[in-house]
C-alpha cells in the first residue's frame, strides 16, 4: 500500500496515497493511514495534513477514519479545483478515544 509523506514546512508533512490504497477498502486503507501518521509523530512531526478532492467520498472517509480532522476547503487549489484539507496534530486526543475520532 502506497502512502507518502512530504515535508511542506518544518515539522509539517503532507500525506498522499495511491489509488491502489483506496481500492484495498476502507478498513485496510484507514489502518495504513493511521499507522503512517503515528510513525510520523513518533519521528518528531507536529502536523500531518492531506488534501482531498471534494467529489471523492472514499478519500474523505479514509482521511476521517484514518484519524484526520476536517479543517475546511482550500478553494482553487489543484488546477483551479477545490480541495478539502484534513489534518492531525501531535497533541490531538488519541484516535481510539471517542473525542479524538469525532472532534
Amino acid at each position: 500500500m502506497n502512502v507518502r509523506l512530504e515535508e511542506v514546512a518544518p515539522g509539517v508533512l503532507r500525506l498522499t496515497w495511491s489509488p491502489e490504497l483506496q481500492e484495498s477498502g476502507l478498513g485496510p486503507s484507514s489502518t495504513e493511514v493511521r499507522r503512517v501518521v503515528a510513525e510520523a509523530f513518533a519521528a518528531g512531526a507536529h502536523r500531518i495534513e492531506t488534501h482531498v478532492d471534494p467529489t471523492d467520498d472514499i478519500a474523505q472517509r479514509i482521511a476521517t477514519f484514518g484519524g484526520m480532522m476536517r479543517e475546511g476547503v482550500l478553494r482553487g487549489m489543484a488546477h483551479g479545483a477545490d480541495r478539502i484539507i484534513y489534518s492531525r496534530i501531535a497533541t490531538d486526543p488519541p484516535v481510539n478515544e471517542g473525542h479524538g475520532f469525532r472532534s
Side-chain angles (χ1 to χ4, degrees), residues 33-45:
V33 167
R34 283 184 187 197
R35 183 191 66 75
V36 169
V37 168
E39 287 178 1
F41 286 143

Side-chain angles (χ1 to χ4, degrees), residues 2-99:
N2 195 0
V3 178
R4 294 179 306 278
L5 291 170
E6 173 189 0
E7 188 170 43
V8 294
V12 179
L13 304 175
R14 174 115 4 102
L15 178 123
T16 58
W17 56 79
S18 67
E20 292 79 24
L21 180 80
Q22 284 194 208
E23 292 166 5
S24 71
L26 181 58
S29 56
S30 59
T31 298
E32 181 67 3
V33 167
R34 283 184 187 197
R35 183 191 66 75
V36 169
V37 168
E39 287 178 1
F41 286 143
H46 66 83
R47 176 185 168 86
I48 312 293
E49 64 182 36
T50 191
H51 298 174
V52 175
D53 183 334
T55 65
D56 191 341
D57 293 335
I58 295 170
Q60 291 180 60
R61 294 186 72 192
I62 290 170
T64 301
F65 282 73
M68 312 288 282
M69 297 180 194
R70 182 179 169 141
E71 291 186 335
V73 177
L74 298 167
R75 297 174 52 223
M77 274 296 287
H79 305 289
D82 296 347
R83 292 292 177 257
I84 300 171
I85 187 165
Y86 290 85
S87 75
R88 185 154 191 81
I89 59 173
T91 57
D92 282 341
V95 177
N96 59 348
E97 293 180 6
H99 184 68

